Amino acid sequence: MMIVMKESATDEEIAAVAEKIERAGARAHRSQGARVTVIGAIGDVEQDASVESLGLEGQPGVDRVVPILKPYKLASAQFRHGERTVLDIDGRKVGGDHFALIAGPCTVESREQTLETARAVRDAGATLLRGGAYKPRTSPYAFQGLGQEGLRLLAEAKAETGLPVVTELMDVRDIDAVLEVADVIQIGARNMQNYSLLTEVGRSGRPALLKRGLSAPLDELLMAAEYILKEGNPAVMLCERGIRTFENAYRRVTLDLMAVPILKELSHLPVIVDPSHAAGRRDLVLSLSLAAAAAGADGIIVEVHPAPDEALCDGPQSLPTDTFAEYAAAVERAAALAGKALSAA
Ligand code: PEP
Ligand code: MN
């Protein structure tokens, strides 16, 4: 980072700042301009962090502190010198030229509902099966998911269809049970900044789908990904699922599609879009999916149900199984426009 000194800064003040930087483990590089002195603190991310914690803004003679390196080092595009991360989930690739269609029920409700959905999405060419056993619900009185029994049903659906499973982990106490079934651990929007959960997912080494918090700027999403990557787990997908804005014409949130190209510029990680939670309404899901695919998303995670009107959770936004194949074909065509092919085993 760069420390810009005030025009009025004395030699002693400049020396004191340089000394503090060096004591924090970084190198202080002075550059004396015609009017002001700028001190570059040169070091790696950890040293940058310790320089940041010095609170140099308040130091006598300091005008301002300007960060230069991205604080998310491992998630940054620079870290892989522009090369994209391509995940391999049980033979299905995500990222690069591979487009992942992740589909399934919001919530595992019953054996029939889960198996019927899994078969329908498999037949339509889905890459991965989604389904929640542990559900983050706004109301504590709403159906909270089947828990362990839900995991068991997902395992059965996987055994029958061969589709790898994406399911949410909400609580570190459930990680062993979830790891038995999940090929990808979903971290929900509400847990994006649950740092102890992110750390455990990082330690597990299991691929993760990290959803953007409802009010999280993109740099906070990338810092959350950094918690997982930092534990030595390189398999992280970022997921845009709609954010809160001032717009209230829609039922829920606004899909931030600009996040797709921006995240892909800032990071090497695959970017997935969730049109279902963004829309909150079934009739918007197709157009948002097509737009996401055309914008270069590496995949879509979408909710499907055999009888959406009877769903215990998120029925209004779920696509019916009987038209899912048509939807999948349209998404595949849009992904092809962006140079991607649907990923299969
Ligand atoms: C979900 O995927 O079912 C879900 C609850 O998503 P989010 O965390 O994005 O709200
Ligand atoms: Mn849902």
Side-chain angles (χ1 to χ4, degrees):
M1 70 189 54
M2 307 276 272
I3 293 87
V4 182
M5 302 300 294
K6 290 180 179 155
E7 263 189 77
S8 60
T10 64
D11 288 348
E12 289 73 28
E13 286 167 347
I14 293 169
V17 169
E19 200 188 314
K20 276 201 151 188
I21 290 171
E22 288 186 341
R23 256 193 277 131
R27 202 155 56 76
H29 178 272
R30 289 187 211 198
S31 128
Q32 174 80 61
R35 300 212 324 251
V36 298
T37 295
V38 175
I39 308 176
I42 302 168
D44 62 19
V45 166
E46 266 105 78
Q47 288 160 343
D48 252 31
S50 53
V51 171
E52 205 177 319
S53 69
L54 292 173
L56 289 173
E57 290 89 349
Q59 183 86 5
V62 172
D63 182 25
R64 60 189 194 276
V65 175
V66 187
I68 300 198
L69 268 184
K70 300 270 185 265
Y72 42 87
K73 179 181 171 187
L74 304 173
S76 73
Q78 290 86 342
F79 182 71
R80 300 212 25 172
H81 307 286
E83 202 183 309
R84 311 239 29 110
T85 283
V86 179
L87 307 186
D88 186 321
I89 296 153
D90 220 359
R92 276 94 172 156
K93 297 220 164 63
V94 186
D97 300 336
H98 311 274
F99 189 90
L101 180 57
I102 308 171
C106 169
T107 307
V108 174
E109 299 169 11
S110 70
R111 184 164 183 274
E112 298 66 47
Q113 169 250 11
T114 305
L115 292 179
E116 202 178 323
T117 310
R119 287 181 201 123
V121 304
R122 187 251 344 250
D123 292 348
T127 315
L128 307 172
L129 174 66
R130 66 148 287 148
Y134 297 96
K135 293 303 301 177
R137 302 303 303 276
T138 304
S139 165
Y141 305 113
F143 176 54
Q144 306 284 309
L146 293 177
Q148 297 249 10
E149 171 61 7
L151 293 175
R152 203 193 59 67
L153 293 172
L154 285 170
E156 193 179 337
K158 177 182 171 180
E160 193 195 302
T161 60
L163 289 176
V165 163
V166 181
T167 196
E168 178 160 354
L169 173 68
M170 287 176 56
D171 187 321
V172 175
R173 288 172 294 187
D174 300 317
I175 193 165
D176 291 335
V178 167
L179 281 171
E180 296 226 347
V181 178
D183 297 282
V184 176
I185 299 180
Q186 176 172 325
I187 300 291
R190 288 151 194 85
N191 268 318
M192 188 202 85
Q193 286 176 313
N194 183 336
Y195 298 124
S196 49
L197 192 62
L198 297 173
T199 299
E200 287 309 317
V201 171
R203 290 186 182 150
S204 77
R206 197 61 53 88
L209 184 133
L210 176 62
K211 298 189 93 174
R212 180 182 186 182
L214 276 80
S215 304
L218 294 177
D219 59 343
E220 291 183 14
L221 171 61
L222 290 164
M223 289 304 275
E226 193 81 5
Y227 269 88
I228 301 173
L229 299 168
K230 186 170 175 290
E231 297 304 320
N233 182 351
V236 179
M237 296 172 242
L238 306 168
C239 180
E240 161 60 34
R241 46 80 72 217
I243 50 173
R244 292 220 200 279
T245 69
F246 54 82
E247 181 54 69
N248 57 12
Y250 327 119
R251 200 168 66 81
R252 288 190 180 205
V253 287
T254 303
L255 181 63
D256 177 14
L257 267 188
M258 220 152 73
V260 174
I262 292 180
L263 284 172
K264 295 189 69 165
E265 178 192 321
L266 296 175
S267 175
H268 54 86
L269 297 170
V271 178
I272 308 294
V273 170
D274 176 344
S276 305
H277 292 89
R281 271 171 41 186
R282 188 176 315 134
D283 60 323
L284 299 178
V285 169
L286 174 64
S287 48
L288 297 184
S289 305
L290 299 181
D298 297 299
I300 278 177
I301 180 166
V302 64
E303 291 185 340
V304 187
H305 196 285
D309 294 342
E310 288 156 34
L312 296 179
C313 184
D314 288 348
Q317 71 200 29
S318 296
L319 300 177
T321 45
D322 58 8
T323 55
F324 185 73
E326 218 176 292
Y327 164 87
V331 171
E332 187 172 5
R333 287 192 295 273
L337 287 179
K340 290 173 187 291
L342 205 58
S343 179

